[in-house]
Amino acid sequence: MKKTALITGANKSIGFETARQLLAAGYKVFIGSRDAVKGETAVNELKAAGFDDVEAIVLEVTDAGSISYAAEELSGKIPHLDVLVNNAGIPGTYPQDGSNVTQENLKAVFETNFFAVIAVTQAFLPLLRKSDAPRIVNVSSDLGSLGFNADPQSRHYEVKLAAYNSSKAALNMYSVVLAYELRDTCFKVNSVNPGYTATDFNNHTGYKTVEAAAAPIVKYATTGDDGPTGKFFSDYGDTPW
Ligand code: NAP
């Protein structure tokens, strides 16, 4: 039987391209999309490109009801889930300086980028535990690196977004915490930074293509039994926490 993968926020951009690359690698892929029509449109585009084993699943990651419905739906369709990519994320609104970030903005960003990842992961863990090689990739950002943020030589030094950067730093801690809990199992749990990528997320100001951005995500989603766990990677390798 084919390996199976679920990607949140896969109706477009980096999530969609991650789906395409996992399909090309022979996986059966579920496109998580909060909007049913956008999910079906993405599936149709992938089918038109020659990929048959792809389905949409409605998943609003900040909605507990949507998460549990999706988890139930997926367990009715597949015996095990091999890959979960927690990709859905938001930048928040601006300004985001330490002195002026609003509670509303902080809470909204943390809701999607942090709390929702934990809720989705916990809901799909039972199906992931049925896999003999479960992989979880939390799509993070180098902007969440405390090391880069504290280093005046880093090219990220001046991008200080109080809500977004903090949410990805928190997400990285969750990757470490979960990887530790699952250290004696066949799970691999890693954070991956796709890099600054031209998508709607940043009005297409990023310099990377979605193909290049998805590559490290797919690499760690498909890592072997001797692969790493509890780490933070970019396409250039280890990334400072
Ligand atoms: P994007 O173009 O804005 O796409 C985001 C995806 O997430 C969309 O499918 C969106 O759905 C979905 N999403 C957002 N909130 C959701 C929710 N509550 N429930 C379900 N789906 C939700 O962003 P992207 O550039 O592909 O970014 C993907 C991931 O990479 C994010 O986690 C981001 O933080 C990270 N990242 C991006 C960059 C970059 O430069 N682009 C750099 C580093 C890290 P809708 O279409 O319905 O809005």
Side-chain angles (χ1 to χ4, degrees):
M1 198 208 151
K2 276 189 175 183
K3 289 203 173 206
T4 56
L6 168 65
I7 304 149
T8 66
N11 52 285
K12 68 177 183 181
S13 307
I14 296 172
F16 178 81
E17 175 60 21
T18 300
R20 198 191 63 74
Q21 291 185 18
L22 283 170
L23 284 161
Y27 282 66
K28 175 180 181 65
V29 173
F30 291 88
I31 301 281
S33 172
R34 58 179 159 184
D35 182 291
V37 174
K38 285 184 190 170
E40 286 307 331
T41 304
V43 165
N44 289 339
E45 194 176 330
L46 289 163
K47 287 198 166 157
F51 300 111
D52 292 328
D53 227 348
V54 55
E55 285 182 45
I57 185 156
V58 175
L59 181 49
E60 162 57 66
V61 298
T62 63
D63 180 335
S66 175
I67 295 171
S68 64
Y69 191 86
E72 205 171 312
E73 189 184 344
L74 212 59
S75 21
K77 289 185 180 212
I78 49 174
H80 51 82
L81 181 63
D82 300 294
V83 170
L84 171 63
V85 179
N86 285 307
N87 166 75
I90 57 170
T93 56
Y94 304 95
Q96 262 190 50
D97 301 310
S99 60
N100 57 27
V101 68
T102 63
Q103 288 291 309
E104 190 187 10
N105 196 13
L106 276 169
K107 285 175 185 168
V109 171
F110 267 78
E111 193 65 46
T112 302
N113 296 3
F114 181 63
F115 297 120
V117 170
I118 299 176
V120 168
T121 302
Q122 289 176 345
F124 287 93
L125 264 182
L127 204 51
L128 285 159
R129 286 187 197 278
K130 294 181 179 166
S131 165
D132 55 12
R135 307 289 179 250
I136 298 173
V137 172
N138 292 325
V139 180
S140 184
S141 170
D142 39 16
L143 294 181
S145 161
L146 290 167
F148 283 148
N149 274 274
D151 176 5
Q153 304 307 319
S154 161
R155 64 191 156 92
H156 307 294
Y157 186 63
E158 287 171 14
V159 191
K160 295 278 191 291
L161 303 173
Y164 183 72
N165 295 13
S166 308
S167 74
K168 293 297 189 180
L171 173 66
N172 284 349
M173 181 58 83
Y174 181 62
S175 295
V176 171
V177 165
L178 185 65
Y180 175 79
E181 181 183 347
L182 298 170
R183 67 196 179 284
D184 294 327
T185 71
C186 46
F187 273 82
K188 307 287 180 198
V189 183
N190 291 291
S191 276
V192 174
N193 160 45
Y196 190 37
T197 308
T199 68
D200 292 345
F201 199 84
N202 48 36
N203 295 319
H204 294 260
T205 55
Y207 55 79
K208 285 183 80 171
T209 62
V210 287
E211 289 81 1
I217 298 172
V218 170
K219 176 175 175 184
Y220 293 101
T222 59
T223 194
D225 293 341
D226 56 351
T229 191
K231 302 279 188 192
F232 183 21
F233 295 107
S234 301
D235 54 5
Y236 53 79
D238 279 339
T239 304
W241 296 111

